Amino acid sequence: MGQGTSRAVSVSLGWILLSLLGAGVTLSKPMDDLTYKKGQEIMLKVNSLTSTQTQVPLDYYHLPVCLEASGPRMRQQTLGEFLAGTKLQSSPYKISGMVDTTCEKLCQIQLNKGQASNLQRRIHQGYRNNWELGDMPSAVIMSDGEGSPRRFGGGFPIGFVDPLDEETAYVFNHVNMEVLYEDLGNNYYRIVQFAVEPLSVKHSYTDPGYEWNDGSTEGLRKPLATCFRSQPLRPSSILQHQVVKPNEAILYTYSVEWETAHDGTHWSNRWETYLTENHTFRYKALWQSIAKSLVGLLSLSVVVLRILMTNLRRKKEEDKPWKLLHGDVFRLPVQNSTLLCVFLGSGVQLAVSLFLLLVLAIFKVASQAKTGSIIEGGLVMYSIASVLAGYVSARMHKTLFKPATASRRNQCTRLAAILVPVVVFGAFMFLQAWLCSSRSTACVPPLEVLILVGIWSCVQVPLVYLGAYMGFRKNCGKFPTRTLTTPRVIPQSNFSPQLMAGAAGLAPFAALYLQVHFLMPSLWLYQYYTAFGVALITMSIALGTSALVAIALVYRQLNAENYQWWWFSFMVGGSCGVWMFLVAILWFPRLEAQMALTFALYFGYMVLISFGVFLVFGSLSFLASLWFVMKLYSTIEDDTSDSTSAFDSGSYDTQMLNGIVEKVNFKTAVV
């Protein structure tokens, strides 16, 4: 490739990346758009209905609820919002800035048999409303009275089931909305918190004989006996709840109460209350876990340092078992050598993209406060890191295969570009087909799917090939020792390497466990997570632990005269993904799943997440083990002068050489 061609490729890829970054960044609304004037009407937006029991988000207007006269209007969404399953739409609620409203009637709906059955089923499945006012999501007020506890994640329920009769369901047809605002003066303000208290009440009119059964607006003007204009409706004043059954008339009402923000809540820190669940997030437990993990990491560091100090003193008089493998330790893996290179590149790509995403989250460029921004940030970082997948895979392939044919190089590059993305995209499309058949808002439109395919084919694949081009061009280092033609016979061991590798993954996963404990509710229970800085530290400790455990176990395996350490070292770290999946299996009952689709969604995505953990920790463990083995056997290279083989130079003393020959002859005779 000439200089002009390289420059053209660089410029083209630069424009592609700039376009991707421009498309992926979610910009928050300008501050002026979120500044309101007293009396100005504010649109209350409704998002998708969500349920932890089904994990299938649904359109808000899938249920029998009140509609605008002109129909709902959908807000323009980003790629990340589509992938997150959100669908923000307008609602008929009329809210005026800084103006209290009490017991305002919205509409009445007469349930037919199908509507009643649908609403009952969704209440039993635990679906929840997710509203938004002034860019602030709805918190839920749990009980009555001052100082009522609030939950800031997951929205509020659409109804509840009678605890004495599970067949009977009640709908929340009245909501008390509380809006906290920061006063800017001159009748201008900004909303800093929005909370909803859902109530179920069987409404009746002050006129005992009146029933609003026609489509007229007369019922909107008649006074209610169950809700008064003088004060908001409270749970203690409700005599009868609104049951859901065919031919039942449901009257929807609402109240709005405005209050000046207190307790130090301002526009600048308005999201802290939401993201930390009103400052109840247990950071102390996370820091204690980090301290314990650091102690374990330091202990492992001392063990590995002692191994290195003991074995790198170049004492030729010491006959150590690992030295007997100098002619076999760099023998290629018997199976799937190319796959090892591809896994290594993909693992490094995932590790770097995850690290960059955590940095973006720490600086609040990507945040749960901006819907879909974390998904978009991850997509952008993964695409940029594609160059590392090609580079690392190519470097490792060139190191293992000397010389490598053009067909082998092309095979390695193709696999690095398509293997992991195709596996993930295939699982994604399978689940998408199921979600679309269920009419879920998580069904990504065809245009957005084409955008994903375009990002992969026009950005990720070219970057992988660019990285592979640079990797194959770069000179690779030589192994310290020469590999002999005849492989050594590996003696039987009392311990299975596979079991050792599987058990070893428990060490780094122990460092991750508390993070997983906090992350799982964020993934599956629609709760907020903000400890991204702690997550970055924990991930670094876990990766360091995985690397040190891999070094210690590889050293033990070499001393057992087993030179098949390549895949073993990868599996030592990769088994952390197996432990991740086992914990996911134990955690699943918390969802109280009721649908086959829920099983498919949960285990499908958890398999992909566990596979990603397998690649990340396996790659780092392998790289650490490779560095250790190269360092360990470099002492033999120094002792053999200019030759790379201890047998060719005779630099070993005669006693060790005779011992090796006798041992090889004895094992050959036995075979």
Side-chain angles (χ1 to χ4, degrees):
M1 184 181 290
Q3 183 177 0
T5 306
S6 301
R7 185 177 302 170
V9 170
S10 301
V11 172
S12 301
L13 290 175
W15 279 110
I16 291 173
L17 284 176
L18 287 175
S19 302
L20 178 62
L21 285 169
V25 174
T26 302
L27 298 176
S28 45
K29 290 186 176 182
M31 190 178 298
D32 293 340
D33 291 346
L34 298 175
T35 302
Y36 304 99
K37 190 175 182 179
K38 182 177 180 179
Q40 177 184 349
E41 186 172 326
I42 307 172
M43 179 187 295
L44 187 147
K45 296 182 285 291
V46 292
N47 208 334
S48 302
L49 302 169
T50 55
S51 168
T52 60
Q53 297 178 24
T54 67
Q55 299 295 321
V56 180
L58 298 174
D59 191 333
Y60 174 79
Y61 292 104
H62 168 78
L63 297 180
V65 292
C66 301
L67 290 167
E68 288 183 290
S70 58
R73 292 161 289 164
M74 182 176 173
R75 196 202 70 179
Q76 186 177 1
Q77 298 192 163
T78 64
L79 175 60
E81 289 174 328
F82 278 115
L83 293 174
T86 62
K87 188 177 181 180
L88 274 175
Q89 302 176 87
S90 60
S91 75
Y93 290 90
K94 298 184 182 300
I95 300 176
S96 298
M98 300 173 66
V99 177
D100 291 347
T101 303
T102 306
C103 288
E104 187 74 23
K105 303 180 192 70
L106 193 62
C107 77
Q108 180 173 273
I109 294 178
Q110 190 89 17
L111 296 180
N112 58 37
K113 186 176 181 180
Q115 290 174 327
S117 175
N118 181 34
L119 185 55
Q120 284 178 340
R121 183 170 68 255
R122 301 311 178 191
I123 291 174
H124 278 87
Q125 290 175 339
Y127 271 91
R128 303 173 74 87
N129 288 303
N130 296 278
W131 292 358
E132 188 176 292
L133 184 68
D135 218 29
M136 300 304 296
S138 56
V140 57
I141 302 175
M142 305 296 292
S143 62
D144 184 35
E146 286 191 25
S148 302
R150 302 185 180 195
R151 293 289 301 274
F152 291 88
F156 61 94
I158 64 174
F160 67 96
V161 178
D162 191 332
L164 301 179
D165 182 10
E166 293 186 357
E167 298 297 324
T168 304
Y170 300 95
V171 64
F172 287 127
N173 60 323
H174 178 88
V175 289
N176 290 327
M177 293 182 260
E178 295 185 8
V179 186
L180 297 185
Y181 64 94
E182 182 180 15
D183 193 353
L184 303 178
N186 298 323
N187 289 329
Y188 284 94
Y189 67 95
R190 297 194 191 106
I191 297 174
V192 296
Q193 191 176 122
F194 173 49
V196 174
E197 181 183 26
L199 299 173
S200 178
V201 54
K202 174 65 176 177
H203 283 299
S204 60
Y205 290 90
T206 54
D207 185 354
Y210 178 78
E211 291 186 6
W212 184 23
N213 293 325
D214 54 18
S216 67
T217 59
E218 182 183 5
L220 296 177
R221 297 189 297 271
K222 289 254 182 207
L224 293 171
T226 51
C227 191
F228 305 102
R229 291 282 187 175
S230 58
Q231 60 182 5
L233 181 66
R234 297 302 179 193
S236 58
S237 62
I238 296 176
L239 301 178
Q240 184 179 0
H241 297 302
Q242 178 60 65
V243 69
V244 177
K245 62 181 181 180
N247 301 320
E248 183 75 11
I250 300 178
L251 177 61
Y252 287 91
T253 56
Y254 67 97
S255 300
V256 182
E257 184 178 354
W258 293 80
E259 184 179 347
T260 306
H262 50 81
D263 297 333
T265 303
H266 302 286
W267 170 261
S268 57
N269 64 356
R270 67 194 188 283
W271 278 104
E272 290 184 10
T273 303
Y274 282 82
L275 299 179
T276 62
E277 282 290 339
N278 200 16
H279 308 285
T280 60
F281 192 83
R282 294 181 294 168
Y283 284 101
K284 184 178 180 180
L286 289 176
W287 287 115
Q288 289 175 347
S289 175
I290 287 177
K292 295 176 183 178
S293 300
L294 279 174
V295 172
L297 182 64
L298 291 174
S299 302
L300 283 171
S301 301
V302 171
V303 172
V304 173
L305 184 62
R306 183 175 179 181
I307 292 173
L308 287 173
M309 295 297 293
T310 303
N311 291 279
L312 299 183
R313 292 176 180 174
R314 305 174 186 172
K315 291 186 178 181
K316 294 188 290 183
E317 66 275 8
E318 293 184 3
D319 183 8
K320 297 193 174 181
W322 61 266
K323 291 187 177 181
L324 303 176
L325 303 180
H326 69 92
D328 296 272
V329 70
F330 296 109
R331 190 179 302 281
L332 292 184
V334 178
Q335 297 177 339
N336 303 321
S337 301
T338 302
L339 185 63
L340 178 63
C341 300
V342 174
F343 277 5
L344 186 63
S346 299
V348 172
Q349 177 189 9
L350 280 171
V352 172
S353 58
L354 179 59
F355 173 82
L356 294 176
L357 178 61
L358 288 175
V359 172
L360 290 179
I362 291 171
F363 289 100
K364 299 182 180 180
V365 177
S367 169
Q368 287 182 307
K370 305 173 185 177
T371 307
S373 63
I374 291 182
I375 297 177
E376 292 171 355
L379 184 60
V380 171
M381 295 302 104
Y382 182 79
S383 300
I384 293 175
S386 297
V387 68
L388 292 175
Y391 180 80
V392 174
S393 298
R395 282 295 308 275
M396 195 65 207
H397 190 274
K398 187 175 182 180
T399 301
L400 293 179
F401 299 98
K402 302 176 185 177
T405 61
S407 62
R408 277 186 173 274
R409 292 197 298 268
N410 291 334
Q411 180 191 28
C412 178
T413 307
R414 284 196 303 269
L415 286 176
I418 69 174
L419 182 61
V420 173
V422 166
V423 169
V424 174
F425 187 74
F428 171 76
M429 289 307 298
F430 170 76
L431 296 174
Q432 277 295 301
W434 205 338
L435 286 168
C436 292
S437 66
S438 301
R439 298 182 179 180
S440 169
T441 57
C443 176
V444 180
L447 179 59
E448 309 303 322
V449 175
L450 289 177
I451 291 175
L452 289 176
V453 175
I455 291 174
W456 172 72
S457 59
C458 298
V459 178
Q460 294 184 13
V461 172
L463 287 178
V464 169
Y465 272 84
L466 177 63
Y469 170 77
M470 295 187 295
F472 282 123
R473 281 190 51 138
K474 191 172 182 64
N475 294 327
C476 58
K478 295 181 179 180
F479 292 134
T481 60
R482 182 185 302 172
T483 301
L484 301 179
T485 304
T486 305
R488 287 176 58 89
V489 177
I490 301 175
Q492 292 184 350
S493 174
N494 295 329
F495 298 95
S496 170
Q498 292 80 8
L499 291 178
M500 288 178 57
L506 186 58
F509 184 76
L512 284 177
Y513 176 74
L514 198 58
Q515 282 294 328
V516 173
H517 174 75
F518 284 103
L519 276 172
M520 292 294 279
S522 178
L523 289 174
W524 300 106
L525 300 181
Y526 303 102
Q527 296 180 11
Y528 292 112
Y529 179 85
T530 57
F532 295 106
V534 178
L536 181 60
I537 297 173
T538 303
M539 189 183 77
S540 303
I541 293 174
L543 288 173
T545 302
S546 180
L548 294 175
V549 169
I551 289 174
L553 291 183
V554 165
Y555 178 73
R556 182 198 178 282
Q557 182 155 320
L558 293 177
N559 276 320
E561 301 183 33
N562 188 340
Y563 53 84
Q564 295 179 348
W565 61 272
W566 302 84
W567 274 110
F568 173 78
S569 63
F570 194 98
M571 293 299 177
V572 166
S575 61
C576 183
V578 178
W579 289 100
M580 177 77 179
F581 187 70
L582 291 176
V583 169
I585 294 175
L586 297 176
W587 198 88
F588 179 70
R590 294 184 61 181
L591 296 184
E592 301 179 358
Q594 302 178 0
M595 300 169 55
L597 178 54
T598 310
F599 283 80
L601 288 170
Y602 180 83
F603 287 106
Y605 284 123
M606 288 310 302
V607 165
L608 293 179
I609 292 173
S610 301
F611 180 58
V613 173
F614 167 80
L615 292 177
V616 170
F617 282 82
S619 299
L620 271 295
S621 297
F622 175 85
L623 291 175
S625 300
L626 178 62
W627 170 83
F628 171 75
V629 174
M630 295 278 284
K631 196 74 174 176
L632 189 65
Y633 283 88
S634 64
T635 57
I636 297 180
E637 180 188 28
D638 293 339
D639 292 340
T640 56
S641 302
D642 297 331
S643 176
T644 58
S645 173
F647 282 102
D648 295 336
S649 66
S651 60
Y652 274 150
D653 55 29
T654 305
Q655 183 179 0
M656 179 176 289
L657 183 59
N658 290 337
I660 295 173
V661 173
E662 289 176 3
K663 200 165 189 176
V664 171
N665 290 339
F666 173 74
K667 291 181 178 179
T668 305
V670 171
V671 173

